[in-house]
Amino acid sequence: MCTTTARSARLEDALTRSKHEEIEKYKRLPGGAIQFSAAIAANTTYVGGRYTKNARDMSQTPWLKQDGILISGNVEDILCKPLQKAFRADEARMHSAGREDIDVRMLGSGRPYYVQLTNVRKFPTQAMLDELQEEINRNSPQVKCYKLTPVTKSQTELVKQGQEEKQKEYRCIIKTEDKVTEEMVGKLNTVENLDLVQKTPIRVLHRRSPLTRTKRIIKINARALTKEEVEVACKHDLNLAESLNNRLVVAEVVSEAGTYIKEFVHGDFNRTVPNVGTIMGTRCDMLQLDVVNLSMVWPPEKEDVVGET
């Protein structure tokens, strides 16, 4: 590792060893004096951790409305700005193992991520990160971070791999067009290692290439919500509860990473087949979605790391 102090010493040594007559030769030239400037840039430093999000109205990254107004509050700003300020970095960017939609909660042990800090003036130590973790969690009621620790550039590859290779677990609240029967729920519970053909969802076609991919549903554990659970979910609005009685299913879904779960539920105009609707034999829609687990060891267990050359 080459620190800022070491670079300064090398620069000073180079100037000291330069011959005076060589410097004098270029001291003055026609047209005015020459100005010299030097900039010293420190190595990029990385901090890894996991985060949870207990909100259904917060995006992962800064998000603009159609009218160009920036929506206030996002996961990246909450996690990155305190680190950028504490370590006096020029820039702080978050990279994560996948991302959840603005209306989806990230629960369980959290989503793996790392923050890339550019040109820090102060290198992070574990003690400093422990304090910053407490500060972030104290100031943010909806987003929490855990296991903040320095990581190396090579270790950040694990997050990129996890985004595409690891299993993910979801909890879905599904609304059906027809009343739910035991047979319908039984069909869901027989799903095991089911391969899906998914076209890029209509909702993201404006920013992603139109592709067709094969993804896998590992298993589903589903049950119909009881009348009492529906009333609680409807906040005791009896008219709404009555209309939804026998039409709500809660499903725990384990899938291959990269599976579009919302589209697996409602079918996306049959752009995802098979889907929950075709399996149950009725039209379905997603009311609520939570990510409850990402099966990935992150951050790695190791000693403090302050940077790489």
Side-chain angles (χ1 to χ4, degrees):
M1 182 182 69
C2 183
T3 64
T4 302
T5 303
R7 287 191 179 91
S8 299
R10 291 204 311 227
L11 180 61
E12 183 178 353
D13 181 62
L15 292 173
T16 302
R17 287 187 287 103
S18 299
K19 294 181 180 180
H20 179 72
E21 54 271 20
E22 292 179 351
I23 298 176
E24 285 293 323
K25 185 166 54 174
Y26 298 104
K27 185 176 179 181
R28 294 183 180 179
L29 288 175
I34 296 178
Q35 295 183 345
F36 293 91
S37 64
I40 301 173
N43 291 331
T44 299
T45 300
Y46 303 87
V47 173
R50 301 179 81 105
Y51 78 83
T52 58
K53 186 190 80 171
N54 191 30
R56 297 195 187 278
D57 58 355
M58 180 180 292
S59 62
Q60 189 192 67
T61 54
W63 202 23
L64 288 174
K65 295 181 181 179
Q66 290 184 345
D67 55 11
I69 298 176
L70 184 67
I71 297 176
S72 61
N74 61 82
V75 175
E76 183 174 36
D77 283 351
I78 291 170
L79 298 179
C80 289
K81 285 186 175 180
L83 272 64
Q84 182 176 3
K85 180 180 179 181
F87 303 120
R88 298 164 57 201
D90 286 348
E91 184 182 24
R93 294 183 58 193
M94 186 180 82
H95 306 265
S96 63
R99 59 190 300 152
E100 69 282 342
D101 290 336
I102 189 171
D103 59 346
V104 176
R105 296 188 301 178
M106 179 66 239
L107 306 177
S109 60
R111 186 180 297 278
Y113 76 98
Y114 67 89
V115 177
Q116 179 180 334
L117 296 161
T118 304
N119 196 22
V120 297
R121 276 79 171 177
K122 192 174 184 180
F123 284 103
T125 65
Q126 189 59 59
M128 296 165 65
L129 290 173
D130 290 344
E131 292 182 4
L132 281 168
Q133 178 174 301
E134 291 183 8
E135 176 187 326
I136 292 171
N137 292 343
R138 184 171 57 251
N139 295 330
S140 172
Q142 296 180 319
V143 176
K144 306 291 184 184
C145 61
Y146 306 93
K147 298 184 177 181
L148 283 189
T149 188
V151 294
T152 65
K153 182 178 181 180
S154 60
Q155 287 171 327
T156 64
E157 293 297 321
L158 296 173
V159 172
K160 299 174 185 176
Q161 294 170 11
Q163 180 175 347
E164 297 298 330
E165 299 175 3
K166 302 300 181 180
Q167 293 183 4
K168 298 182 180 180
E169 299 178 26
Y170 301 86
R171 181 186 300 114
C172 314
I173 303 296
I174 301 168
K175 175 186 173 183
T176 62
E177 184 174 64
D178 301 315
K179 288 191 175 183
V180 178
T181 65
E182 290 185 5
E183 182 183 3
M184 289 178 176
V185 176
K187 289 179 179 179
L188 279 183
N189 287 329
T190 61
V191 169
E192 186 174 356
N193 295 324
L194 174 67
D195 288 333
L196 313 176
V197 177
Q198 289 198 308
K199 294 182 179 180
T200 302
I202 293 173
R203 63 187 172 90
V204 298
L205 267 177
H206 64 286
R207 66 174 187 269
R208 296 191 179 176
S209 301
L211 302 173
T212 300
R213 305 180 304 165
T214 300
K215 291 297 178 179
R216 175 167 291 186
I217 300 297
I218 311 300
K219 64 179 179 179
I220 299 176
N221 182 16
R223 67 175 180 83
L225 266 66
T226 66
K227 183 178 180 179
E228 292 74 17
E229 288 174 320
V230 172
E231 289 178 357
V232 172
C234 296
K235 298 181 179 178
H236 302 288
D237 182 333
L238 297 182
N239 291 330
L240 179 60
E242 183 64 29
S243 67
L244 293 177
N245 190 31
N246 295 322
R247 294 177 57 206
L248 294 182
V249 173
V250 57
E252 305 282 348
V253 180
V254 181
S255 76
E256 180 183 5
T259 305
Y260 290 106
I261 296 299
K262 288 181 177 179
E263 283 65 29
F264 170 60
V265 169
H266 59 64
D268 199 28
F269 299 100
N270 286 325
R271 294 171 64 84
T272 291
V273 289
N275 53 66
V276 171
T278 60
I279 295 170
M280 295 184 70
T282 182
R283 291 179 61 182
C284 297
D285 203 1
M286 181 83 78
L287 289 189
Q288 288 186 350
L289 177 62
D290 295 328
V291 186
V292 296
N293 187 47
L294 276 72
S295 57
M296 175 182 171
V297 177
W298 180 264
E301 298 292 336
K302 57 174 185 55
E303 297 179 356
D304 289 0
V305 178
V306 295
E308 285 189 340
T309 55

